[in-house]
Amino acid sequence: MALEEISKDVEVLDNEKDLNWIHRNDKNEDYYFISNPTSESKSYRINFRIKDRKPELWDPVSGKMTDVLIWENNKNQTSVSLDLEANGSCFIVFRKKSESNSNPVRAISINGADVKNKLHIVSDNKLILNKKGIYKVSFKDNKTTTIKQSKEPETFFLNDNWNVSFEANRGAVPSAYFDKLISWPLHTDTGIRFFSGTVTYKKSFKINSKQLKNNKRVFLDLGKVKNVATVTVNQKKVALIWKPPFSADITDYFKSGENELQVIVTNLWPNRMIGDKNEPEDCVWGPVRDFPYVQPAPVIGRNLQEIPEWVINKTRRPSKNRITFCTVDFFEKNTPLLESGLIGPVQISIEDIWDLKNSK
């Protein structure tokens, strides 16, 4: 290929071993699925064997389609700068001709240091100024724009004083007050400690009119969540978030004055199943099984020997305080509980935005 001056379909200029990709061509459109297989965020500079077309970035989680911010056509290749979060992925799509007068961004630096693409970008190529310093944006035509950001984003934390309500018939109290955000297994109440299900967190706070000026972004970061969260602001659903980072742009949902934030969190079943081990048994189990193909052989659990009469007849079970029923007994009383709930820290940042279209 080198002798024929044919470039690689995909050429990764850095972190090459930490990138997976696949390419589909559909007539005059090219679709590249790009994946970061590592547990760390990565920055990439990638050359695609595509010419005279501008790249788009498609988010497979949100379905959002935006133009790539930093890219350049070079001979028979298109060079793209790309950030992917840990285990993250995206589509890079070429389907639109690059205009002769297009002037894409070639590089961005902060305080003289090239940051590649390690910046937050919102739709329509608006740059979020989330750090104090001097931003320098270089374009294809060698022109540059300098942006002076004199202050850090305004931030405040929401880790205290949450009103919490628990899904009914799951062994917990209907509601509780959390003066601090904690994982449910750390709570002193046994019903909360062993809870599995859906919990609603509510909290009110104020934002003034100055904080909601144009060219501002209000960004919510929930910190650690176990395991799935739905965010609502002022009774309007913002997002269902099922993987890190548990964050969302909530600019369009806030108002000046009092605001209500609601976070609905659902965890996994093991904690309630472990808690039920403290109640009397009302099932007949077989012997303990292990997995003999690995040494030392790990214990799997016990199989249910027969369907209980109370299940068949749909009557109240003898062990009345048990919540769960399963055909395999996986856990013991002392099995470690899983982290659960909204753990935080919960933070709201109010950040300045610069429209790069005004810089060209």
Side-chain angles (χ1 to χ4, degrees):
M1 293 178 69
L3 292 175
E4 297 294 330
E5 296 185 348
I6 299 175
S7 59
K8 295 180 180 179
D9 188 16
V10 172
E11 182 182 12
V12 185
L13 302 183
D14 45 17
N15 292 316
E16 181 175 7
K17 295 181 180 180
D18 298 331
L19 183 77
N20 294 332
W21 63 273
I22 191 170
H23 175 200
R24 172 178 173 169
N25 173 264
D26 186 4
K27 297 181 180 179
N28 294 322
E29 298 180 353
D30 288 270
Y31 301 83
Y32 291 86
F33 180 71
I34 308 294
S35 173
N36 172 13
T38 74
S39 57
E40 299 178 353
S41 296
K42 296 284 184 180
S43 295
Y44 304 95
R45 185 76 175 178
I46 308 172
N47 288 338
F48 297 91
R49 194 172 61 207
I50 301 289
K51 67 175 183 177
D52 300 329
R53 277 181 280 167
K54 64 180 182 180
E56 301 170 66
L57 188 150
W58 293 7
D59 187 336
V61 176
S62 67
K64 188 177 181 180
M65 302 177 187
T66 57
D67 292 337
V68 171
L69 175 65
I70 303 178
W71 66 280
E72 186 176 11
N73 285 138
N74 290 314
K75 295 182 180 179
N76 294 325
Q77 293 181 311
T78 299
S79 179
V80 171
S81 287
L82 179 67
D83 269 358
L84 286 178
E85 63 193 34
N87 301 302
S89 61
C90 71
F91 290 92
I92 299 296
V93 178
F94 297 90
R95 54 180 185 154
K96 300 176 182 178
K97 286 285 186 180
S98 57
E99 301 87 353
S100 58
N101 62 348
S102 65
N103 191 24
V105 175
R106 296 180 63 183
I108 298 176
S109 66
I110 301 178
N111 298 326
D114 185 5
V115 293
K116 294 185 178 179
N117 204 36
K118 291 182 178 178
L119 298 162
H120 290 295
I121 308 297
V122 294
S123 59
D124 300 323
N125 283 348
K126 293 179 181 178
L127 178 64
I128 298 169
L129 308 178
N130 57 1
K131 292 182 180 179
K132 179 181 178 180
I134 304 297
Y135 289 71
K136 185 177 181 180
V137 183
S138 302
F139 296 92
K140 180 182 177 181
D141 61 4
N142 294 321
K143 291 183 179 179
T144 61
T145 292
T146 301
I147 309 160
K148 184 177 181 181
Q149 179 65 7
S150 59
K151 59 182 180 180
E152 297 287 350
E154 183 179 355
T155 61
F156 52 94
F157 291 90
L158 303 174
N159 297 318
D160 307 330
N161 307 322
W162 287 83
N163 292 308
V164 183
S165 57
F166 293 83
E167 185 178 354
N169 302 317
R170 294 293 178 89
V173 293
S175 62
Y177 177 78
F178 282 19
D179 57 353
K180 298 284 185 182
L181 289 175
I182 60 170
S183 177
W184 302 338
L186 300 179
H187 203 281
T188 56
D189 184 284
T190 56
I192 297 176
R193 185 162 66 249
F194 294 119
F195 182 83
S196 291
T198 299
V199 172
T200 300
Y201 292 76
K202 288 184 179 181
K203 182 177 179 61
S204 296
F205 60 95
K206 292 182 178 180
I207 287 184
N208 62 51
S209 57
K210 292 182 180 180
Q211 295 170 312
L212 295 178
K213 287 183 178 179
N214 292 332
N215 299 321
K216 295 279 189 180
R217 181 180 83 149
V218 182
F219 191 71
L220 171 68
D221 185 351
L222 296 178
K224 182 182 288 188
V225 174
K226 293 293 182 178
N227 292 86
V228 179
T230 299
V231 176
T232 300
V233 176
N234 294 326
Q235 301 180 351
K236 295 180 181 178
K237 182 179 176 180
V238 177
L240 169 63
I241 314 173
W242 53 272
K243 67 176 189 62
F246 287 90
S247 56
D249 185 337
I250 52 178
T251 308
D252 296 335
Y253 301 88
F254 274 99
K255 61 185 180 180
S256 178
E258 193 84 6
N259 290 271
E260 182 184 79
L261 173 63
Q262 177 177 283
V263 183
I264 302 173
V265 178
T266 302
N267 70 332
L268 302 177
W269 272 112
N271 289 359
R272 185 62 260 171
M273 297 171 75
I274 295 167
D276 282 356
K277 298 292 290 184
N278 294 290
E279 302 297 329
E281 191 61 79
D282 57 3
C283 294
V284 179
W285 302 101
V288 174
R289 296 188 300 115
D290 60 23
F291 188 74
Y293 306 103
V294 178
Q295 295 300 324
V299 173
I300 297 175
R302 301 182 297 172
N303 282 33
L304 188 68
Q305 292 295 91
E306 59 185 42
I307 302 298
E309 290 293 327
W310 54 268
V311 173
I312 296 173
N313 297 327
K314 298 181 181 180
T315 57
R316 185 172 183 177
R317 67 188 303 175
S319 188
K320 61 181 181 179
N321 291 326
R322 280 181 175 259
I323 306 297
T324 62
F325 170 71
C326 187
T327 57
V328 180
D329 182 22
F330 292 105
F331 305 108
E332 301 294 337
K333 288 182 180 180
N334 59 352
T335 301
L337 299 174
L338 301 180
E339 283 190 303
S340 297
L342 176 59
I343 301 170
V346 177
Q347 175 178 306
I348 288 180
S349 301
I350 302 174
E351 304 162 327
D352 291 328
I353 294 176
W354 183 271
D355 192 341
L356 291 170
K357 292 181 179 179
N358 296 333
S359 303
K360 298 182 180 182

